[in-house]
């Protein structure tokens, strides 16, 4: 009985694994079993991260719940591939009271990194096809490919609301 309860608790804490994909019905791979990702992301974006975002020169506008948020993308292969799909409007699902997620119809290049701390406003990729927008800050042991972050996440939790929500991503002008 204890093993069963522990198993249920672990399943409920796994990002993007609570629901099937709207597009493909796929479940994400277990980040603990991939053996990838040794770098820890535990701090808010550093000056170096901000410089990388400036070098990449890709700023996003994310609209959710009628509110517009400015975001910066990291300079990595996954973020560049994500930009190629913009603009996007997605009906994102709720998971664990801290994230909205959506399974993309095609995989992005993944380079998962172990994250000790997720911050409200982080935009990440779980596996290679699960886009995740976090709206709460919390600790985790899972691995994600960082795509970017909201410059100011104040009001994000209220904007995303409960349940499924429509989120639009487009390049900022």
């Amino acid at each position: 009985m204890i093993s069963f309860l522990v198993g249920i608790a672990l399943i409920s804490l796994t990002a993007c694994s609570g629901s099937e994909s709207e597009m493909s019905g796929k479940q994400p791979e277990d980040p603990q079993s991939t053996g990838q990702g040794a770098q820890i992301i535990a701090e808010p974006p550093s000056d170096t991260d901000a410089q990388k975002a400036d070098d990449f020169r890709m700023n996003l506008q994310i609209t959710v719940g009628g509110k517009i948020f400015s975001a910066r993308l990291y300079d990595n292969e996954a973020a560049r591939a994500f930009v190629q799909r913009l603009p996007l409007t997605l009906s994102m699902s709720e998971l664990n009271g801290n994230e909205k997620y959506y399974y993309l119809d095609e995989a992005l290049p993944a380079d998962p990194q172990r994250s000790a701390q997720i911050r409200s406003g982080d935009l990440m990729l779980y596996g290679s096809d699960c886009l995740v927008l976090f709206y709460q800050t919390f600790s985790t042991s899972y691995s994600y490919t960082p795509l970017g972050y909201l410059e100011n996440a104040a009001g994000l939790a209220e904007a995303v609301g409960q349940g499924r929500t429509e989120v639009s991503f487009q390049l900022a002008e």
Side-chain angles (χ1 to χ4, degrees), residues 70-112:
S70 295
R72 290 195 178 247
L73 292 177
Y74 292 109
D75 185 12
N76 62 39
E77 193 176 353
R80 287 189 293 272
F82 180 65
V83 164
Q84 298 303 310
R85 299 168 187 254
L86 299 179
L88 284 174
T89 297
L90 307 173
S91 179
M92 299 185 82
S93 298
E94 169 67 35
L95 187 63
N96 295 327
N98 60 22
E99 68 184 76
K100 298 294 182 180
Y101 72 94
Y102 182 86
Y103 280 95
L104 301 168
D105 56 353
E106 293 181 32
L108 297 177
D111 182 18

Side-chain angles (χ1 to χ4, degrees), residues 48-170:
T48 303
D49 291 334
Q51 181 62 43
K52 284 181 181 179
D54 286 340
D55 290 345
F56 186 39
R57 298 191 192 288
M58 287 294 162
N59 296 318
L60 285 182
Q61 178 178 310
I62 299 175
T63 305
V64 57
K67 187 167 181 176
I68 297 172
F69 296 90
S70 295
R72 290 195 178 247
L73 292 177
Y74 292 109
D75 185 12
N76 62 39
E77 193 176 353
R80 287 189 293 272
F82 180 65
V83 164
Q84 298 303 310
R85 299 168 187 254
L86 299 179
L88 284 174
T89 297
L90 307 173
S91 179
M92 299 185 82
S93 298
E94 169 67 35
L95 187 63
N96 295 327
N98 60 22
E99 68 184 76
K100 298 294 182 180
Y101 72 94
Y102 182 86
Y103 280 95
L104 301 168
D105 56 353
E106 293 181 32
L108 297 177
D111 182 18
Q113 301 173 8
R114 192 160 165 242
S115 301
Q117 182 87 27
I118 299 293
R119 301 218 179 263
S120 177
D122 282 347
L123 181 64
M124 303 217 188
L125 185 65
Y126 181 77
S128 62
D129 63 350
C130 185
L131 181 66
V132 184
L133 177 61
F134 292 97
Y135 62 87
Q136 296 290 334
T137 299
F138 63 97
S139 297
T140 185
S141 61
Y142 292 102
S143 297
Y144 301 91
T145 299
L147 296 176
Y149 59 95
L150 272 61
E151 293 179 302
N152 182 353
L156 179 60
E158 293 80 19
V160 297
Q162 298 178 354
R164 196 176 292 277
T165 191
E166 188 171 285
V167 182
S168 296
F169 301 87
Q170 67 182 33

